[in-house]
Structures are given as C-alpha cells and as structure tokens.
Amino acid sequence: MCGIVGYLGSGSALDIVLEGLEQLEYRGYDSSGLTIKTSEGFKRVRAEGSLDHLKQKIEKLEGPLGIGHIRWATHGTASLENAHPHKVGKIQLVHNGIIENSEELKTRFKYNYQSQTDTEVIASVISDFYSRTGDFFQSVFETTKLLEGAFAFLAVCEDEAHSIVGARKGPPLVVGFGKEKEFFISSDLPSLVQKWTSRVAFLEDGELVHIQDGRCQFFSSDGSLIKKKIQTIQKEDQAKGKEDYAHYMLKEIFEQPHSSLRVLKAYTEKGQINFSSPLFQSAEKIFIVACGSSYYAGLYGKFVLESIVGIPVEVDLASEFQYKSLILKPKDIVLFISQSGETADTLSSFHQVKKRGVTCYALCNVRNSSLDREVDASFYLNAGLEVGVASTKAFTSTLVLLLLMALNKQKDHSLVSQLFDLPFLIDQVLSKSEQIKEQAVLFSKYKRFLYLGRGPHYPIALEGALKMKELAYIHAEGYPSGEMKHGPLALVDQEVLVIGLAMKDFYYSKNIMNLQEAKARGGFILTIGDQNHKSVADQHIEIPSCHPFLSPILEVVVLQLIAYHFACSLGHDVDHPRNLAKSVTVE
Ligand code: AGP
C-alpha cells in the first residue's frame, strides 16, 4: 500500500520528506512524489519507479513545509500522471487508501481529470469547496463527509504557506512532535520513531489534524476540537541497514536464531512458560483470523492448540471472515495475527468481532499499531523491525509464540527445554545456505513448483509456496501430500519440481509414498527432512531431527532460503518484489 509523509517546522522539509519516503518505501514503490513550499510557492516533483528516480529529478528545494508520497497502485497504472501529489486548483494532496465512491463524486464534481486515480477526486472536491468558501480546513472537513472507503491523506493549500491538514478513516496516520513548533506526519510509527521523535499522537478513524503556524489541533468526525494524548514511544531496535547482507530479507532470515530466542525469553521465566494472563482459561472455541503468511502461521497454531490444549480452533482468512455470518459465543476467543498490525482486512474483521463483545487478542510485531492499540491484549512477536516485504523472522516468531501459548495452557513444561534448542537448530539450518544456493540456482529449468506436507507441515508447504510466488514470480502451490492423488497429480510432469517436507515423523511413510507417486510421473523430487530417502529424492536437504512441533520451523527456514536464492539467481529485487507491499492497508 502507499506511504504518505508530511513536515512543518524549522528544518529542511525536502530532506525530511525524502527520508520519510525512504522509511516508507516498503509500502509501495511504483512511483513517488512530493511538494515543498518554497519562497516561490509550492514546487511539485513526481517520478515513476523507485524513489531514486524522484531524487534524481529534484534540484534544491528550500522551505519549511512539505508532503510526500510513495505509491502502490490501486486506481490507475503506475505512471507519472497517476503519481501523487495530485493538484487541483490551489489544493495539493497525497493519499493512502481507496475511495469507493470516486466515480460517483466525479459526476458531481466535474473537472478535467488528468489521472485515473481516486486521489485526484479528493483534491477536486476540496478545491470545489475551497473555491466557494475560502476556508481550507473546513473544505477538507466537508469533503471527508462525502468520501466512502478508506483514506489517510494530507492536503496543502497554495494560499496557506504554513498549513497541513490530515484526515484518517482506515489506514493509519501518526503525528510526531519534534522541537519547538516542529511537526511530522506519517503513515506509520516506525518511520517517525526511528528517525525523528518519540513523542507521537495517533489519529483514530474519522479524526482530522490541522497543523498551522506552529500549532497542532485535532478534530473529531463531527468537527469538534479534541484534546489528544501525546505518547512517548520507545524506539524499536533500528534496522541498522543491511549490515553486510546483500538484502534486508537475507539479514532477517539470518536473524532468526536471535528473534526466536527473543520471543522464547519474553514468555518464559526460569524454564517455565509465563503468560501474564491465563489465555484460554474458559474458552470454548478459539478463532484465528489473519492474512497471507500470518494466516498460514494460524493453520500451524490450529494444529498445536488442538493437539495440546484440546479446544476446537477455526482459522479464517480475514478477507473472507468479515463477510461471513459470525457464529460467536461469549466465551469464544479470537486471535488476530498481524505482523504489521495495520492489515486492513484483519482490522476490519477485528472491528466486526469487537462489536460482539468477544475477547480479542493480537499476535503482532509492531507496538502501538492500530490492532495493538485496540485489542483486549497483545502478545508481541519481538521479532524486531522487519523490513523485507516477504515475511521471514516475523513468521517463525509467530509459530514459536503460538506453540508457547498452547503449552502455557497445559503447563507442559517438559518441552520448554527443547524449545530453547530452537535457536541452535535454526543456526544449523542456516549453515546450509550456500548448499541451498547451489541447488536453488538449478531450479530455473522447472516451470511449476509443488510443495507437499501433512499435519503441521502443510501450513509450511503453503508458506514455502508463497515465498516462491512473492520473490521468484513463479507459479507455486502448497498442497496436503495426501490430496495429490485426488487430482493435482495430473499436474506432475518433467517440468514440475516437487518439494516434499519429509521429516522421519508420524507422517513419513505416507509422505514418501506420495512423493514416489509424483516421481513416477516425471516430477523432480527435492526432500527436506532428517532422513534422506535415496530411492525417492533426486535431491535432499538435511535438517536436524527435533520435536515434531519444532521441525516445521526449521523447514520454513530452508524454504525461505530456497526462494531467496532462486529469486536472486533470476535477478529480482527481493526486498521490493513487484506488485507487493509490506503492509496491505486497503481491503
Ligand atoms: C508475507 O510474506 C506477505 N508479504 C503477506 O502475505 C503478509 O503476511 C500479509 O499481508 C499479512 O500481513 P500482516 O501479518 O502484517 O497482517
């Protein structure tokens, strides 16, 4: 999704807006732009492609006020005329979200639209009100009442040299308070706290902010002035650049021994699992709601929770959950898993459940994210800032956290000491990175990839396939091993690479049988496990034997490395995969 940033203060608005856009580049990178209030008026610069293209177009722009935008296309292609800021009349505007009634508004507010975006429509409506009233803030406020959908936008007016108005309904917007009369506004907290300030205030849905002449005022959805609490946020550990790794993603893959240890330490004490609250004490059913990789982690959570806790668990895709008839009982518990805490589908599902008064927990990585601030209790992944768009360390930390939550209920602490072997076991897997790189480079002759697993390994097969899709842009599919004979086996031929998760555990013999069926039909078989079954495997990646609940975590590290190395061999920008964004803040 898009990222927006604004600044008003005594510093260089250009430098700060550009730095802010760099921090937000993970949210989208198909075009970018900014406007700076200089002594000769507002100067707008936009560019297609990465942020570097924008920087190359900018000469010195000096001034105290600026807004900027980095885009992940929703309405209209990734082109220069669709890049933000959009300008209509004296209004310029940057926006993150989707305006669902933009076409209807276009018929009411006729204008010679230059772009295909819904954002230009917002600017046009504000401009229409402004041309009739001359009141910039009021024009923005009146416009917000007409917008349907999700938006977080910043607007400036060429008649007001020191004024920024922001509005939020859905995607996040955070105001940072710097030195004397210095204000920052951003789509997300880390971009503020990492660089400029730890004093922030969050806009809630429907609220507006008006920063003008050194003053910052907040307004509720009915336009009344409200007092906002300024919070002081502890700095998350900085993503200190890529250090000596080629990509953030590789750095974060290699951080997993540490990130898994951090989450283990956060929820254990003297060898005992220690959650402050009893978690599922009286729960009759647990729901897990999430998207993407977080959803796959939820499927693993279902397995361990039902196996250990014995409570029925239903796992739902947030993008589907919010539309179904919710059959919730007062004692049910809903876990929302979201690394960013800002995923629109997950937030929307949460708001549906919250209205029913059911206990809602979050498993998330970003403190003070929208989800974190609204649930009954949050359990943090402690993975540290995850910059790579393809989730790695946050995913494995989620698996560890779910396993701890399950074990906490049964007070089954015999496994805890084995849990603390996990960082060491992950390290052993990471030592195979070069071997995996050599193997992965050979995969280019295969056109389709199948990932097979059973039980707690099936969610890992799904996650491995997603990593391959996200990074190598190859069609890859995760499948329950036992399902292959019910149709998908027809897919298998010499062009298919089959990756089988085949630990020597309860599922082993049946998994080998399924892999033999695929091999017999020409598939190239790569197995990952603690036993090399040479009659089946054309290639094998050995991982250490360990508890059946821990082996899926080791397997996914291998699959992360396979996807990473293969994508690099194809020359892809693995930190900025095409068409993707780190935090999907639109539905
Ligand atoms: C992960 O590799 C993906 N980029 C994506 O599926 C992600 O897991 C999904 O968008 C959910 O994000 P969240 O955990 O921040 O809610």
Side-chain angles (χ1 to χ4, degrees), residues 545-559:
S545 299
C546 60
H547 190 281
F549 288 152
L550 296 184
S551 57
I553 301 169
L554 302 189
E555 289 166 342
V556 78
V557 176
V558 176
L559 298 179

Side-chain angles (χ1 to χ4, degrees), residues 287 289 321 326 328 333-334 336 347-360:
F287 290 80
V289 181
F321 182 81
L326 298 187
L328 294 167
I333 287 183
V334 187
F336 294 92
L347 284 171
S348 180
S349 299
F350 161 66
H351 290 135
Q352 304 274 343
V353 174
K354 191 175 174 185
K355 278 188 272 190
R356 307 281 289 273
V358 168
T359 303
C360 297

Side-chain angles (χ1 to χ4, degrees), residues 3 72 109 144 150-151 204 214 231 235 240 305 309 317 324-325 354 379 389 424 432 439 456-457 480 512 526 531 545:
W72 184 83
F109 297 87
T144 57
F151 55 85
E204 302 304 340
Q231 303 182 39
K235 262 192 188 183
K240 305 170 197 67
L305 282 164
V309 181
L317 283 167
K324 64 188 279 189
S325 317
K354 191 175 174 185
F379 301 94
V389 169
F424 171 69
K432 299 189 178 282
Q439 289 174 292
H457 309 281
I512 292 299
L526 167 65
Q531 171 105 15
S545 299

